[in-house]
Each structure stands twice: as C-alpha cells, then as structure tokens.
Amino acid sequence: MQVLHDAPLAPLTTFRLGGPATRLVTATTDAEVIAAVRAADDSGTPLLVIGGGSNLVIGDKGFDGTALRIATTGVELRGTTLELAAGEVWTDAVARTVEAGLAGIECLAGIPGSAGATPIQNVGAYGQEVSSTVTEVVAYDRRTGGTVTLANEECAFSYRHSRFKADPERYVVLRVRFGLEDAGGLSAPVRYAEAARALGVEPGDRVPLADARETVLKLRAGKGMVLDPEDHDTWSAGSFFTNPILTDEQFAAFHARVRERLGDAAEPPAYPAGDGRTKTSAAWLIDKAGFTKGYGSGAARISTKHTLALTNRGGATTEDLLELAREVVAGVRKAFGVTLVNEPVTVGVSL
C-alpha cells in the first residue's frame, strides 16, 4: 500500500483539475482498501475514494484528509458470469466481454473510469445501463464495519442513481458481478436509435458484438467522449449534466416556454420516464439556450464536439470550470425554467 503526503490529485482525474490531498493512499487489494477505510474512520479523518477519476470535480484547495485510490485488479469470467475488482479499467473489461462473445455491456464501450464506479452511478449509454446486468455488488459497509454482498434489487438503481450514490459515506465498492448473455456472438438488442442508424439496423435488432462496440466507440469519439491525452476536447467528465426528468406539470410548463422561445412548431425531445414523468435532453436545452459547441473564451469551455461536455482547455482551474457550469445552468433556467443537475461528484466545491 503506497502512501504519499501533500499529493496532487489533478493527475488522477480526467479533468486534470483540483488541488492536493493531505494524504494519498493507493490500495491494490481488497484487504488494503478495507484497512485504509477503517484507519480513516477510526481516526475521524475525512475520506475521499477515487477510482478512475472520470466523474470527479475536486476543488482548487484540494482535499484535507485521506484520498484512497482504488487500484485493485482481478477479472474472473465463468460461463456468462463476470466478476470485476473495483479498480479494473472499465473499457478494458468491456473489450474482454466482447472478445468472449458475451452480450450486455458492449454499448458501454469507451466510458472512462473504473469498474467499481459503474454501479454507483448506474452508468449507461446508447441504450444500456449496468443495472440491467449487475447481479451483485460486494462492498465494505462503513456503518457496520463488515463486507456485504448486495443483490441487484438491493442496489435501488434508477437513472444515474443507486443506493451507493444516495448514501455516499456508507459503502466502498470492492467487486461487481455481472450476468451477461451468450447470444451466439451477437449483441443485446440495439435500443438506441442513433446507434441503430449507425449500424444500419432497426431498433431491437442484434448485430455482431464487435460491430456494436466499434460503432459506439466511433460515435463517442465523434463527440469527444473517448479519452485522448493529446485532445483537450476530451479533458472532461463526459456528460456534465444529467438529462432532466420532469413531471407532467413541469413538462407542460417547459413545453410552453419552448414554444414561446422557439416558435409554435418547436418540439423538445421527450422520452417516457415512467410514473407520469418525461425525460428531455440536457444537450438540447444547453444548445437552444445559446450555449453552442465550443462556447467560452477562457481555459474552461464547452467541447467543440458535444454541448454536454465541459472541458479543461489546459491551464484551467476548478473555479474556471464551475463558473462556466453556473453560467450554463443559469442560462438554461432563464430560457426554459428547467434546472440542470451536475452529473460528476464535487469535492470541496458546489455549483
């Protein structure tokens, strides 16, 4: 277990932003993770858990406490069951399942970060969410001081949310188990219209697994959503805002604002979200509120490839990024009466 003091955290995040941690511990086994968490809890030291750093905005002052970097490894594939250590690189894990001919997470290719973060955020893209394939999550329960195994239904998954995100101080994910599908080398049914168009098939069709993965990677790269150290358009946390989910009353008011601003023929994106609610597009809202691709003049700007990604053009501070985010939130609220919510976790700062 490596321990560093006054350690920079910016290199551990995809934004390359944030100040140092008082103490940085890198754990490579589950036992080391648990020992580090217990030591922090026993001493009353604030604890920040870091995986791939792809969903993290750390304040410029850094973190006054112990930052625990989970660097555990381990991949076990038994039939259609996949078990990943929390520190495994997610993109590599997806590639391995495709090579093994197993369907279920192929459209989650190219998402940066670690395997242990996927159930926390209920990571999803292009018509797939990990909640559809996660069978169990093994975690250290800081409240009881023991290791627990939570079944899918105990994880309380919803759109970009879970039991782990709802109670971030309680659980530290150690391992994630998935139940995949052997469809003879074919993907799960393609659910996302954009992916289906790119593949030249109808929604609901299956395609060769490799084709699904490669198509998603191309779509993501075209939006700056595949990490490239040389491309500042990818120095981001991916989608900075979640897609708003509105009640019928809220959507009606929003729809009226859209027509008032854009004309009587204007129709915003609308997708059923269950329980009388409708999901609309954060990217559409940002664009129509006047924040187009490449917006900004400072070191933090909207990506030139996708309006949902806020980027560090090099030399930005976290406060630069937050000023841009606040401007976008205020502009969208003024234009459409909808308040955007940030997707990345903030540490020592807030919008």
Side-chain angles (χ1 to χ4, degrees):
M1 187 159 54
Q2 182 189 67
V3 180
L4 300 173
H5 297 276
D6 196 28
L9 296 179
L12 302 183
T13 74
T14 53
F15 266 123
R16 276 85 164 174
L17 295 176
T22 306
R23 185 169 178 263
L24 173 64
V25 175
T26 299
T28 58
T29 68
D30 290 354
E32 288 181 353
V33 171
I34 293 170
V37 175
R38 283 178 174 163
D41 288 347
D42 289 347
S43 63
T45 303
L47 179 70
L48 171 64
V49 178
I50 300 176
S54 61
N55 201 46
L56 200 56
V57 178
I58 299 173
D60 293 315
K61 293 182 179 180
F63 183 71
D64 185 11
T66 296
L68 169 60
R69 177 173 172 258
I70 297 182
T72 54
T73 57
V75 179
E76 188 173 354
L77 195 56
R78 302 182 305 277
T80 57
T81 300
L82 172 69
E83 179 176 294
L84 299 174
E88 282 291 333
V89 176
W90 177 251
T91 53
D92 294 346
V94 173
R96 293 180 86 158
T97 64
V98 170
E99 291 169 4
L102 298 176
I105 58 175
E106 62 280 356
C107 289
L108 303 179
I111 295 176
S114 62
T118 60
I120 297 172
Q121 187 75 1
N122 186 16
V123 163
Y126 294 98
Q128 290 183 346
E129 289 183 329
V130 294
S131 57
S132 297
T133 50
V134 168
T135 57
E136 293 179 328
V137 176
V138 180
Y140 175 69
D141 186 342
R142 297 169 68 184
R143 185 177 301 171
T144 65
T147 301
V148 295
T149 299
L150 302 173
N152 180 288
E153 57 272 17
E154 296 176 282
C155 296
F157 289 122
S158 59
Y159 173 65
R160 301 295 174 272
H161 202 67
S162 70
R163 177 177 185 170
F164 312 105
K165 190 172 182 179
D167 194 359
E169 300 299 317
R170 180 168 181 180
Y171 298 102
V172 177
V173 175
L174 301 173
R175 299 189 166 266
V176 188
R177 295 174 182 139
F178 300 83
L180 304 176
E181 178 188 9
D182 184 349
L186 296 179
S187 69
V190 179
R191 303 295 184 195
Y192 202 73
E194 182 186 16
R197 286 195 299 271
L199 286 160
V201 299
E202 295 296 320
D205 288 349
R206 295 177 184 262
V207 298
L209 277 163
D211 290 355
R213 175 177 175 270
E214 289 165 11
T215 296
V216 165
L217 286 173
K218 288 178 182 177
L219 289 171
R220 291 185 65 86
K223 300 173 183 178
M225 297 289 187
V226 176
L227 288 178
D228 179 352
E230 304 303 317
D231 183 359
H232 285 238
D233 247 0
T234 71
W235 287 28
S236 74
S239 299
F240 195 87
F241 300 104
T242 58
N243 290 321
I245 297 178
L246 309 175
T247 64
D248 285 344
E249 183 179 357
Q250 290 170 333
F251 187 81
F254 163 58
H255 193 256
R257 293 281 286 270
V258 168
R259 293 197 166 185
E260 178 184 333
R261 182 180 178 89
L262 303 176
D264 290 342
E267 290 293 340
Y271 311 96
D275 297 326
R277 300 184 301 166
T278 301
K279 181 166 67 176
T280 191
S281 166
W284 186 92
L285 286 164
I286 293 167
D287 181 70
K288 297 304 182 184
F291 303 100
T292 53
K293 295 174 184 176
Y295 179 88
S297 58
R301 304 180 197 172
I302 291 177
S303 167
T304 64
K305 302 181 181 72
H306 200 293
T307 54
L308 262 186
L310 307 187
T311 65
N312 171 11
R313 311 307 296 182
T317 64
T318 299
E319 190 55 33
D320 292 333
L321 175 77
L322 294 176
E323 284 181 7
L324 175 61
R326 291 173 188 133
E327 183 183 1
V328 171
V329 170
V332 168
R333 186 189 297 120
K334 181 179 179 181
F336 299 113
V338 174
T339 300
L340 295 177
V341 176
N342 53 290
E343 186 167 327
V345 174
T346 56
V347 177
V349 291
S350 65
L351 291 191

